[in-house]
Amino acid sequence: MAEADTPGRAPGALRGVLAPLALAQFICSFAGSNMNVMINDISEDLDTTVQGVQVAITIFLLVMAALMIPGGKLTDRYGRKRCFLAGLAIYGVGALLSAVSPGLGILILGNSILEGVGTALLIPPVYILTTLLFTEMTSRARAFGTIMALGGIGAAAGPLIGGLITSAISWRAAFVFQAVVIALIILLSRRIADPLPPDATRPFDTAGAVLSAVGLILVVTGILAADNNIWLMIALIVLGALVLLWFFLSVRAKERAGKEPLLSTSLFHNRTSNLGLVTQNIQWLILMGTSFVVATYLQVVRGYDAIQTGVIFTAATLGLLVSSLAAARLAERHTQRTLIMTGFIVTIAGVGVLLSMVSGTPSAWAFAPGLLLIGLGIGLMLTPSVNVVQSSFPDEQQGEISGLSRSISNLGSSLGTAVAGTILVAGLTTHAYGAAMITLAFLGIAGLAAAVFLPRGAESSTVP
């Protein structure tokens, strides 16, 4: 069914619906990266440390990853638009609370917890509604291209916008900016009509939601503990893995009993989708890991202020913008597999250029070529990775796969900040910076390997 054939929806009306959905992805991605340039300002104002701010950033990303699967499942029961609006409201309250926070604890409550919970509620509907409304390959690629472009720009331009606001006013004003954008999205959301009615009788696996969230939290918390206590790290990761195993066994038990679990194991029977999820995870891991490492290095080691750091990130933003907005045209000419593989190759090359040029010159502009390539590469593969996953399942499974897809992506964001940040913060020197970026490059190679195994005919066709 083509875009123009959607019942009751003209192409212009669909474009109007796309605006709040794309803006929602933008502000959530922005929130995940804009604090990177406020590290010094926040730590001084709230009398905390770089590690304290890193924990706040990572908890925000972790809460999103842990609750995204339950958030996607709730859309079936309460409706996609209702969950979208509820998430926006919770997010807005968290942004305002963060703006007036007197200490790190309140900042974590507002930014890390409330904004994280709000994001977990509002993001799955973005992808479900897009998949349901845009069912033809080209129109869906264009729609996802717009959403992923704004998401990538939010992540890449977060340091620049956050730096400008922080330098001109205060880091607190950046959270007021988020609240204003949320209010605009709520206003624009009046045009959204849920294409499927909610099913109030749909069961919700509360025990599964708790187990999945606790398991993910323990694993990432263990990674964060790496620079403080290696034995604590091992204990937390092992414990997290055991909890996730418990979750998996509970899912299998519910399926055998004929009950509906939080996540169907059938989602993992699709090889193309599994490989697409791996590429999504690593893409966001590299993007957020690079953002944190470079921003921290520029401020702590080189002494740049927030706005100088943000300006340097403009190169990555430009690359993301160019390649993401070309998603629809590229989807018509190349397979999704080709685009994802090319994206990883360009990104890995960008990390190499970043390392070689920065080590050879003290100039701030030495960061630009590498960041530009990283932005181009990630923007090139964000849309096809999402398209491959979403298009692998029918309408009735969109709630589950959207929650899983976003959880995997946000887990990548959490791991990017945790892994690269832990390596960097453990020793804030040029060598630690290099080690963190080399780690990200090797993970990029793993993502490329996953893309190579995608079926050669992996196209983003219409949902079966």
Side-chain angles (χ1 to χ4, degrees):
M1 182 166 57
E3 177 183 349
D5 298 328
T6 305
R9 288 285 179 182
L14 284 177
R15 285 193 292 271
V17 168
L18 186 59
L21 300 179
L23 273 177
Q25 179 63 76
F26 164 81
I27 199 63
C28 292
S29 298
F30 170 84
S33 68
N34 84 111
M35 280 180 65
N36 290 340
V37 298
M38 306 176 194
I39 293 172
N40 286 340
D41 296 85
I42 293 176
S43 60
E44 292 174 6
D45 193 7
L46 301 185
D47 193 25
T48 184
T49 63
V50 171
Q51 288 90 337
V53 180
Q54 181 200 6
V55 167
I57 295 171
T58 304
I59 290 176
F60 166 71
L61 297 169
L62 179 57
V63 168
M64 285 195 295
L67 299 182
M68 202 67 74
I69 295 174
K73 197 70 172 181
L74 286 173
T75 62
D76 296 325
R77 185 183 179 111
Y78 298 107
R80 285 133 292 276
K81 182 176 180 179
R82 189 178 300 172
C83 287
F84 183 65
L85 293 175
L88 289 170
I90 295 171
Y91 188 108
V93 171
L96 292 175
L97 185 60
S98 301
V100 298
S101 57
L104 182 62
I106 300 299
L107 179 67
I108 289 176
L109 174 61
N111 173 250
S112 308
I113 306 299
L114 291 180
E115 288 192 25
V117 171
T119 302
L121 278 175
L122 72 90
I123 285 298
V126 169
Y127 290 83
I128 298 170
L129 289 168
T130 303
T131 303
L132 295 177
L133 292 171
F134 299 87
T135 56
E136 189 268 328
M137 182 185 72
T138 303
S139 65
R140 182 182 294 168
R142 186 180 298 112
F144 274 130
T146 301
I147 291 172
M148 299 313 295
L150 283 181
I153 290 168
L160 174 59
I161 299 172
L164 289 170
I165 295 174
T166 300
S167 299
I169 309 174
S170 163
W171 63 269
R172 298 178 185 274
F175 288 102
V176 176
F177 167 76
Q178 292 181 44
V180 170
V181 174
I182 289 294
L184 175 62
I185 296 171
I186 292 175
L187 183 64
L188 294 173
S189 297
R190 294 179 301 173
R191 302 180 180 182
I192 297 176
D194 203 329
L196 293 176
D199 183 0
T201 63
R202 195 78 177 261
F204 181 76
D205 183 7
T206 304
V210 172
L211 288 174
S212 65
V214 171
L216 289 170
I217 289 171
L218 286 171
V219 169
V220 179
T221 303
I223 296 173
L224 280 174
D227 60 335
N228 294 320
N229 189 322
I230 189 69
W231 292 112
L232 177 62
M233 178 199 75
I234 295 173
L236 289 172
I237 291 176
V238 170
L239 184 58
L242 290 175
V243 173
L244 290 175
L245 176 61
W246 185 5
F247 165 65
F248 175 75
L249 294 176
S250 73
V251 167
R252 293 294 299 272
K254 286 183 174 67
E255 287 183 328
R256 284 194 295 267
K259 299 178 181 178
E260 184 176 346
L262 180 71
L263 201 65
S264 301
T265 56
S266 62
L267 293 178
F268 300 100
H269 295 166
N270 188 306
R271 178 173 176 268
T272 300
S273 172
N274 290 342
L275 292 169
L277 289 171
V278 172
T279 63
Q280 281 186 31
N281 179 275
I282 295 177
Q283 289 161 19
W284 284 99
L285 189 156
I286 294 174
L287 178 58
M288 298 306 293
T290 299
S291 177
F292 182 84
V293 170
V294 175
T296 304
Y297 177 78
L298 289 173
Q299 293 175 90
V300 178
V301 177
R302 294 213 172 176
Y304 294 165
D305 61 25
I307 192 168
Q308 289 173 319
T309 302
V311 168
I312 291 171
F313 271 95
T314 305
T317 306
L318 178 62
L320 272 160
L321 179 63
V322 170
S323 54
S324 295
L325 291 181
R329 186 167 62 253
L330 292 171
E332 295 173 355
R333 301 177 181 178
H334 307 283
T335 65
Q336 306 303 296
R337 175 179 180 269
T338 300
L339 294 176
I340 297 170
M341 288 175 57
T342 304
F344 273 115
I345 292 170
V346 173
T347 300
I348 295 166
V351 174
V353 171
L354 194 63
L355 284 169
S356 61
M357 292 197 67
V358 169
S359 62
T361 174
S363 171
W365 295 109
F367 289 85
L371 288 174
L372 176 65
L373 286 174
I374 292 172
L376 283 169
I378 291 178
L380 189 63
M381 56 186 169
L382 283 178
T383 298
S385 286
V386 170
N387 233 337
V388 162
V389 173
Q390 297 289 148
S391 299
S392 298
F393 298 92
D395 289 355
E396 57 267 21
Q397 288 187 291
Q398 285 300 312
E400 286 183 295
I401 191 57
S402 293
L404 176 62
S405 173
R406 295 304 88 208
S407 180
I408 292 294
S409 295
N410 283 292
L411 181 60
S413 297
S414 301
L415 291 173
T417 303
V419 174
T422 297
I423 295 171
L424 183 65
V425 173
L428 289 173
T429 66
T430 302
H431 296 300
Y433 160 80
M437 294 306 300
I438 289 171
T439 300
L440 293 176
F442 274 107
L443 289 169
I445 293 173
L448 175 61
V452 168
F453 285 103
L454 281 168
R456 292 185 179 276
E459 302 280 355
S460 54
S461 58
T462 56
V463 175

